[in-house]
Amino acid sequence: VELQEVSLTSTRDEQVGLTVRVVVSVRPSGSPPEMAQKQKHYEHVGALSSLAVWLDEGSDLLDTSLSSATQQIATQIVSDLALN
């Protein structure tokens, strides 16, 4: 699992959201090392919140947003791996 990007996006009305992108490389168990790995990209786009909330030092929005993103991406990865 490789973290590709963590970014903030914004709208004209000062709404900010977190986007996380990862790529997962998978090679079937027992396959030779020279066998090409399959790659799949995952993206989580979080809900928008006001800029004021993002800038509030007492807010845990960043922690909550990162936690939500990692949990949702992990769930997608596990689900996809279970199908293979």
Side-chain angles (χ1 to χ4, degrees):
V1 177
E2 181 181 333
L3 179 62
Q4 294 288 301
E5 180 181 1
V6 176
S7 62
L8 296 175
T9 57
S10 64
T11 63
R12 290 181 185 213
D13 59 344
E14 296 186 345
Q15 295 291 305
V16 178
L18 178 77
T19 300
V20 177
R21 292 183 183 96
V22 301
V23 64
V24 176
S25 301
V26 178
R27 183 175 33 242
S29 178
S31 63
E34 62 275 1
M35 183 177 176
Q37 296 179 347
K38 294 180 183 177
Q39 289 191 330
K40 181 147 185 190
H41 297 264
Y42 296 87
E43 177 180 76
H44 171 79
V45 179
L48 297 174
S49 296
S50 72
L51 179 60
V53 173
W54 280 98
L55 296 176
D56 181 359
E57 292 182 19
S59 171
D60 67 346
L61 183 60
L62 180 59
D63 291 339
T64 302
S65 296
L66 285 171
S67 177
S68 175
T70 55
Q71 288 176 357
Q72 289 186 19
I73 289 174
T75 299
Q76 291 174 7
I77 293 168
V78 170
S79 176
D80 286 351
L81 290 174
L83 295 174
N84 294 326

